[in-house]
Amino acid sequence: MRHVEKPRWKSVRDSVNVSLLLWTIGLLVYGSVVVASATSGMTGGPGMFKRHLLGIAIGLVPMIVAWAVDYKVLRHWSGPLMVALSFLLISPRVPGLGAAAKGATSWLQIAGVRLFQPSEPAKLLLIVVMAALIADFEGKIDRPKDVVRIMGYLAVAMVLILWQPDLGTGLVFIAITMTMLLVGGMKGRYFAVLAVVGAVGIGAVLGFHLLQQYQEDRLLVFVDPTRDAQGAGYNLAQAKIAIGSGGVSGQGLGSGTQGNLLFLPERHTDFIFAVLGEELGFTGALLLLGLYLALLVTALAIAASSRDLYGALIVAGVIGMWTFQILENIGMSLGMMPITGIPLPFLSFGSSAMVTNLGGVGLILSVWSRRYGT
Amino acid sequence: MTTFQQQLKSRFAVLGAIVLLVLGSLLLRLWSMQVLSGESYALQAKNNRIREISLEAPRGRILDRNGKPLVTNRATLAVSVDPANDIVRSLIVRAQSSNKTDDPTRSELERAFGGLATQLGMTPQEVFAKVSDSRVEALRPRLVAIDVPLETVSILSERQQEFPGVRIDEVAVREYPNGSLAAHVIGYTGEISESQFTASEGAAGYELGDIVGKTGAEAQFENVLQGDKGKRLIEVNARGKPQRVIDEQPAVAGRDIRLTIDIDVQKAAEQALVGALNEAHRQNFPNAKAGAAVVMDVKTGEIVAMASVPTYEPTVFLGGIRPGEWAKLNEKSSEYPLNNRAVMAAYPPASTFKVITGLAGLQYKVTNSGKTYNCKGKWIEMGAQWSKLCWNHAGHGTISFEGGVEKSCDTVFYEIGYEFYKRKNEEIQVVSRAFGLGSDTKIDLPGEVSGRVPDAAWKKSYNANYPEYQMWLPGDTVNMAIGQGDMLVTPLQMTAVYAGIANGGVVMQPHVLKDVLASDGTIAKSFKQTVLTTTGMSSENLAIMTNALVRVTTQGTARGAFSGFDASVAGKTGTAQVKGKDDMAWFCGYAPAGAPKYAVAVVIEQGGGGGAVAAPAGRNILAKLLGLPAVNVRTTDPSR
């Protein structure tokens, strides 16, 4: 390695990962185009598009801050960060601070003004906290009590997020943790045990009907499309029609009938991919998946270049978050995954998610900038 | 590379593989949905957003022979109920489920339709019966009432929330400028029945709920009158709200048709029938309630008038007949006013049939002009135990063949009939069939019956289960000779018989369609006149018969009815005996006798004597045809 002797980065240029920024910008531009099309027919459509651009602008702040701050500092702040994480997750439930939407109390609202969804930045906090925790095992997690300890942290986050209840974000938490455990060196048999525990847990939740009926319907409608045919089943069917009717080259930007004629629900947020699929077709979907692949592969390379395990774990956490959200969001529109309200990274309308995803980019850049040195 | 980086290499490889697996499986699924099944999804998307709306084509008008309207169209405000309304839909779904206990209750119907019912003067149940009609296309608004007064319309539209699913449209309905005139020939319209719909499947583009001709010319010429529906493709959004018109194919109006009916003659015929019923009542035949009259142009077969009493108001069918009204039109005491007795009812022809017996006798030389018979009032040629009476029990004494026709002497025709029985060749039946009896006249109206010409073969099969009644007896032929027994004819068939005699033995095909008009009013297609049957009667024999028939109206059984009539009429009265009922009065004839133009037949069920009741009606119809003044003749002539 030719740079291995260099103690630290010397120039700004050296701290910039051009590929990562390029793919990020590509996704933001692509997303803005699709959001513009999805919101064009809505009341206040131009206003919403401006809000989308504003979300990107706001997101640049945490990105640059995370980039500028040496990620290693965060490792010493694990305790306060875990407290902050907990507070973020509890905050919507604090009287006078929360606002309910779609069956969950997941918004922070002060004096009647909706601020953001705390569960979004909470994902990043979880990544940073978990990275510090797992890094302490120095790449080898082999003792049951270590696994239990890590699961304990995850359990706290899970209980709080399910209290909202926001099942989708809960699943993201699990995906983040599992990815980091993989990179953190947890032995295969523990993955197997956790998989069994998870399967039993899902079985128990469904078997004893612990979920609200609408939640159960949304989770299972992808298996049985006739379930909740007027609600979740209808949404899923319309999303599939939209995507399928896009064909190879799509109906043309702004010409998707499923979206414009209101057949598609949540078309600028959770079902944004259906708009893309309908209007830009397989070609457009291929371009999107290509951009995601480039972004994730670049992030993987950065993780591999990290000079410490802590940095590698942070990047792995972000990769896990994005990969799962891509799988879940697109998979849900294609009828492969249960329906949960998870936004598609960089594409979906929504400032909270934009802030989180750009913050994630900032964390990765922070790891990249400090790849040299001790 | 540090040690830990080496250590992590394989873990990042696994993570990279997971990323590839995730993106790869999404891509595979996208390939399958967008590239392989794209067209099927595209079709679903199209069905999602595109609705086809039928544009009704105005129905063609029906005009009389001179172009005067018999049926036209008018615009009216109609109240419909949209079955897609949530409240309405749930009630319909429950009413149509097999579970009877789930049927909407009285109070639920009252809540949903009570307000509307009150506005329309109906009961909530009546409203719901129309709304829940399962035959109508699922999404089509159900027509509840037409001709809704403007103040009701404004109440319904101003207080919409009180009337779930109610909508108001302007629709075209049939208009009958002459009321019930010629109702049986015109027929009425109504929603297409399931059987009609199935029969027409695909061919004519009908939809359930469409208005079609149900009877008469409306049904017969449905194809011409209906027109071609237009189509409008509209794009709707997810809430079903129309966004824009994608394509429109305008409706093509139905063609107008001209019938052979003459409004003035038709009026005269209907008035004559009503007059005959009144006359029958006056003559103490209180059961006289029904009858028919037909006028035919002997040279062309055109039906100039066709009347049937009792009649009905075709307007009751507009917007869907109410169940109560329908029951009223179909109960026994109503005498079935919907039936067109001119073609749908078969009666014994009685003495009007003597023209056939007579012509058969002349043709087969069983009798001849001037041949004399002796009528003693009682005829015992077949043996004393099989004696038969002439209507004139006192007897006509010595009487010629022509005198037999003139006075309707039964004895003369018993003799002729008995002669035919002995010849065993069934010539009376041959001549009957030659004039078209026993078969449809193939008139262009629905529902015609063919009547019956009895013969030995018929009697055998008719009594297949009663061997003792199977043999054809002398009395059968003798009875038939005077138009009694098992012979059955429709008024139209008898009109055609007399028209055939008037037209040199050639019966023209009777028809009511004159022509079909193009959209600019010019004639697009005319009915092609054809011969129904050529009887083969010699002109000498036809002349003998005409001569005898003129004697009927000048000095015979119709003398009273035609007294003072300014034209020469060849006619014959008839009085049919039907077991358990009063006599049926007949008159058939044609005029002017020298150069015949029109044949007419009149029958009054349970009306009494043909000369006293039916012949005066025939006179008034002929008077109208020939431009002579109508006179209310009263005759108590007892002759048959």
Side-chain angles (χ1 to χ4, degrees):
Chain A
M1 287 283 133
R2 105 195 126 86
H3 296 300
V4 88
E5 304 306 323
K6 289 190 179 173
R8 47 180 294 132
W9 54 278
K10 291 175 182 164
S11 63
V12 171
R13 193 180 178 283
D14 209 19
S15 79
V16 175
N17 186 301
V18 179
S19 303
L20 191 73
L21 282 181
L22 202 63
W23 306 134
T24 304
I25 292 165
L27 282 165
L28 289 174
V29 170
Y30 198 6
S32 301
V33 169
V34 179
V35 167
S37 171
T39 55
S40 65
M42 292 180 168
T43 33
M48 295 186 86
F49 180 62
K50 275 182 201 152
R51 275 172 60 194
H52 182 72
L53 296 182
L54 182 66
I56 294 174
I58 295 171
L60 290 176
V61 176
M63 182 180 116
I64 290 164
V65 170
W67 185 0
V69 173
D70 187 344
Y71 67 94
K72 280 171 293 180
V73 176
L74 299 172
R75 194 168 176 178
H76 308 297
W77 290 80
S78 275
L81 286 176
M82 187 65 200
V83 173
L85 167 64
S86 303
F87 179 75
L88 275 178
L89 295 180
I90 292 169
S91 62
R93 282 284 178 187
V94 174
L97 290 183
K102 294 172 205 147
T105 311
S106 53
W107 281 84
L108 194 64
Q109 174 175 307
I110 291 170
V113 181
R114 270 193 193 184
L115 297 177
F116 65 102
Q117 283 178 291
S119 59
E120 278 294 332
K123 293 172 190 168
L124 293 184
L125 287 184
L126 182 76
I127 290 170
V128 173
V129 170
M130 275 288 175
L133 186 64
I134 293 170
D136 286 344
F137 301 110
E138 293 176 343
K140 193 175 164 196
I141 302 167
D142 201 7
R143 288 179 304 180
K145 74 167 198 182
D146 298 342
V147 175
V148 170
R149 183 155 172 249
I150 296 163
M151 286 304 126
Y153 276 78
L154 176 61
V156 170
M158 288 300 287
V159 165
L160 296 177
I161 192 71
L162 291 180
W163 186 34
Q164 290 192 0
D166 182 350
L167 189 62
T169 305
L171 293 174
V172 177
F173 285 178
I174 293 173
I176 288 170
T177 309
M178 291 305 143
T179 313
M180 293 171 77
L181 285 171
L182 168 69
V183 174
M186 187 169 80
K187 291 294 167 205
R189 59 177 177 276
Y190 294 113
F191 281 107
V193 169
L194 291 176
V196 169
V197 170
V200 169
I202 292 170
V205 164
L206 294 179
F208 294 105
H209 297 287
L210 298 179
L211 294 177
Q212 301 283 328
Q213 182 64 42
Y214 85 93
Q215 291 174 312
E216 207 172 280
D217 286 339
R218 282 174 50 164
L219 284 180
L220 294 180
V221 74
F222 81 106
V223 186
D224 172 17
T226 60
R227 184 185 267 263
D228 193 18
Q230 298 297 319
Y234 173 85
N235 294 352
L236 175 57
Q238 296 302 339
K240 283 167 76 175
I241 290 172
I243 294 167
S245 67
V248 175
S249 53
Q251 311 281 345
L253 203 61
S255 307
T257 57
Q258 286 287 105
N260 288 332
L261 297 173
L262 317 178
F263 290 100
L264 268 185
E266 305 293 333
R267 62 186 196 273
H268 59 307
T269 56
D270 294 351
F271 281 102
I272 188 80
F273 182 76
V275 173
L276 185 149
E278 180 180 31
E279 300 191 344
L280 302 172
F282 185 70
T283 322
L286 199 63
L287 175 62
L288 181 72
L289 293 183
L291 283 171
Y292 279 136
L293 180 65
L295 179 79
L296 292 169
V297 166
T298 307
L300 266 171
I302 292 172
S305 75
S306 169
R307 66 172 176 175
D308 58 7
L309 180 59
Y310 180 61
L313 283 168
I314 286 176
V315 179
V318 177
I319 291 172
M321 172 177 84
W322 284 340
T323 307
F324 180 76
Q325 292 196 188
I326 293 163
L327 170 69
E328 167 54 33
N329 181 284
I330 298 181
M332 149 185 103
S333 302
L334 299 176
M336 300 165 74
M337 297 290 285
I339 294 179
T340 55
I342 295 182
L344 188 57
F346 305 105
L347 267 275
S348 290
F349 174 90
S351 309
S352 308
M354 198 56 80
V355 164
T356 304
N357 290 318
L358 287 174
V361 173
L363 282 176
I364 296 174
L365 284 172
S366 179
V367 173
W368 169 256
S369 329
R370 294 161 184 91
R371 63 195 180 279
Y372 311 124
T374 48
Chain B
M1 189 174 277
T2 60
T3 343
F4 97 88
Q5 279 172 332
Q6 292 288 4
Q7 192 185 10
L8 290 190
K9 211 172 169 185
S10 64
R11 297 176 191 171
F12 284 124
V14 173
L15 187 53
I18 290 172
V19 168
L20 282 178
L21 191 71
V22 164
L23 297 180
S25 57
L26 292 176
L27 199 65
L28 209 63
R29 175 79 172 172
L30 281 163
W31 170 267
S32 146
M33 280 173 63
Q34 296 190 296
V35 180
L36 301 184
S37 312
E39 278 176 32
S40 132
Y41 281 109
L43 187 69
Q44 288 183 51
K46 198 177 158 197
N47 291 341
N48 248 349
R49 69 187 172 94
I50 295 189
R51 297 275 180 283
E52 192 180 304
I53 292 179
S54 296
L55 304 175
E56 300 298 326
R59 200 172 167 81
R61 297 178 304 157
I62 301 178
L63 312 172
D64 92 332
R65 61 184 300 122
N66 300 313
K68 293 184 195 160
L70 287 165
V71 187
T72 56
N73 300 306
R74 67 184 166 86
T76 180
L77 290 170
V79 170
S80 313
V81 171
D82 186 356
N85 175 279
D86 288 340
I87 297 171
V88 178
R89 188 178 51 198
S90 80
L91 289 174
I92 293 175
V93 166
R94 284 170 47 199
Q96 288 173 356
S97 82
S98 51
N99 188 356
K100 282 276 152 258
T101 57
D102 203 28
D103 277 354
T105 63
R106 212 189 164 81
S107 64
E108 280 176 315
L109 293 184
E110 179 65 41
R111 219 174 305 136
F113 302 118
L116 179 63
T118 310
Q119 290 300 326
L120 299 176
M122 300 167 78
T123 68
Q125 285 79 3
E126 277 177 332
V127 172
F128 188 60
K130 293 195 167 207
V131 171
S132 59
D133 186 347
S134 60
R135 295 174 306 132
V136 184
E137 217 182 322
L139 286 173
R140 196 169 170 135
R142 298 333 200 243
L143 186 63
V144 175
I146 59 161
D147 290 338
V148 182
L150 268 176
E151 55 266 42
T152 309
V153 166
S154 60
I155 291 171
L156 292 177
S157 35
E158 277 164 22
R159 303 181 354 216
Q160 269 174 1
Q161 68 287 356
E162 293 173 40
F163 310 106
V166 166
R167 43 179 287 171
I168 291 151
D169 303 290
E170 194 178 273
V171 300
V173 296
R174 284 311 222 186
E175 182 174 39
Y176 304 93
N178 310 296
S180 66
L181 189 80
H184 295 98
V185 177
I186 297 166
Y188 58 85
T189 57
E191 281 186 9
I192 190 167
S193 70
E194 258 171 302
S195 54
Q196 273 176 305
F197 178 70
T198 319
S200 75
E201 196 71 90
Y206 287 117
E207 292 163 29
L208 284 173
D210 280 354
I211 298 297
V212 296
K214 302 293 255 187
T215 61
E218 293 269 27
Q220 185 78 26
F221 307 112
E222 168 66 20
N223 292 345
V224 178
L225 294 168
Q226 181 67 46
D228 297 325
K229 240 178 259 173
K231 249 195 314 199
R232 182 182 291 153
L233 292 180
I234 56 165
E235 186 177 78
V236 298
N237 69 12
R239 291 177 198 104
K241 194 174 163 204
Q243 306 291 299
R244 65 193 175 100
V245 175
I246 292 172
D247 190 22
E248 183 164 325
Q249 204 179 314
V252 179
R255 300 283 187 82
D256 291 352
I257 59 173
R258 236 169 18 139
L259 299 183
T260 57
I261 299 291
D262 182 309
I263 282 186
D264 297 327
V265 179
Q266 180 72 25
K267 267 183 201 155
E270 292 186 12
Q271 281 165 5
L273 283 180
V274 172
L277 291 180
N278 291 336
E279 183 62 18
H281 298 158
R282 198 182 65 85
Q283 292 182 24
N284 213 14
F285 287 97
N287 297 325
K289 285 169 186 159
V294 181
V295 177
M296 177 168 155
D297 184 315
V298 301
K299 292 202 174 61
T300 61
E302 289 175 345
I303 299 298
V304 180
M306 179 180 276
S308 179
V309 285
T311 187
Y312 64 96
E313 287 292 336
T315 47
V316 299
F317 289 94
L318 296 180
I321 187 165
R322 291 195 190 184
E325 296 271 4
W326 177 253
K328 247 194 273 172
L329 292 174
N330 284 282
E331 62 195 16
K332 193 163 187 301
S333 64
S334 72
E335 297 286 339
Y336 307 109
L338 297 179
N339 284 356
N340 181 0
R341 286 173 158 76
V343 296
M344 293 169 150
Y347 308 95
S351 301
T352 60
F353 184 73
K354 286 172 180 163
V355 293
I356 301 268
T357 310
L359 280 168
L362 293 169
Q363 198 74 10
Y364 292 99
K365 311 217 185 304
V366 167
T367 185
N368 54 60
S369 172
K371 179 171 178 178
T372 54
Y373 299 83
N374 189 10
C375 173
K376 296 176 184 143
K378 187 172 181 182
W379 182 72
I380 52 169
E381 286 299 303
M382 298 190 294
Q385 74 272 40
W386 307 111
S387 70
K388 296 198 73 79
L389 297 172
C390 179
W391 67 267
N392 183 350
H393 300 182
H396 291 101
T398 301
I399 188 165
S400 68
F401 170 74
E402 282 86 347
V405 175
E406 173 199 320
K407 303 223 152 38
S408 204
C409 171
D410 292 332
T411 303
V412 170
F413 290 88
Y414 290 150
E415 293 275 354
I416 297 171
Y418 194 44
E419 211 46 46
F420 276 118
Y421 173 75
K422 287 188 275 193
R423 290 162 63 100
K424 300 274 186 199
N425 281 328
E426 301 194 330
E427 286 97 340
I428 298 177
Q429 287 90 333
V430 170
V431 175
S432 299
R433 293 193 190 102
F435 274 96
L437 298 184
S439 317
D440 292 350
T441 65
K442 291 179 245 150
I443 190 172
D444 43 3
L445 283 176
E448 187 185 15
V449 299
S450 50
R452 180 202 292 150
V453 175
D455 58 15
W458 167 81
K459 193 175 180 191
K460 193 164 181 217
S461 75
Y462 187 74
N463 292 310
N465 298 324
Y466 307 96
E468 64 273 30
Y469 292 121
Q470 286 179 5
M471 200 172 43
W472 186 264
L473 300 171
D476 290 325
T477 312
V478 167
N479 268 338
M480 183 168 70
I482 62 160
Q484 291 288 155
D486 295 308
M487 173 72 70
L488 289 174
V489 299
T490 67
L492 175 65
Q493 282 175 328
M494 279 325 275
T495 316
V497 166
Y498 279 78
I501 298 169
N503 193 37
V506 176
V507 182
M508 297 305 289
Q509 166 68 55
H511 62 275
V512 297
L513 179 69
K514 192 165 173 62
D515 32 49
V516 175
L517 302 182
S519 52
D520 60 0
T522 58
I523 293 168
K525 201 177 169 189
S526 289
F527 183 91
K528 202 164 164 279
Q529 287 161 13
T530 54
V531 172
L532 175 66
T533 162
T534 306
T535 61
M537 299 296 117
S538 74
S539 50
E540 297 80 34
N541 291 338
L542 291 167
I544 292 167
M545 185 53 72
T546 297
N547 179 40
L549 291 172
V550 171
R551 283 170 58 174
V552 172
T553 62
T554 50
Q555 51 202 32
T557 55
R559 178 185 71 241
F562 283 91
S563 67
F565 197 71
D566 264 349
S568 174
V569 177
K572 183 75 195 75
T573 59
T575 306
Q577 289 154 327
V578 179
K579 221 174 152 184
K581 290 187 175 174
D582 292 340
D583 290 348
M584 308 227 168
W586 274 98
F587 175 79
C588 298
Y590 48 90
K597 280 164 121 167
Y598 303 106
V600 59
V602 176
V603 62
I604 303 295
E605 291 178 26
Q606 309 201 65
V613 171
R619 172 199 169 121
N620 281 345
I621 297 169
L622 286 170
K624 180 50 118 184
L625 285 161
L626 303 176
L628 299 172
V631 180
N632 235 341
V633 283
R634 270 194 185 159
T635 167
T636 43
D637 195 335
S639 58
R640 320 303 295 255

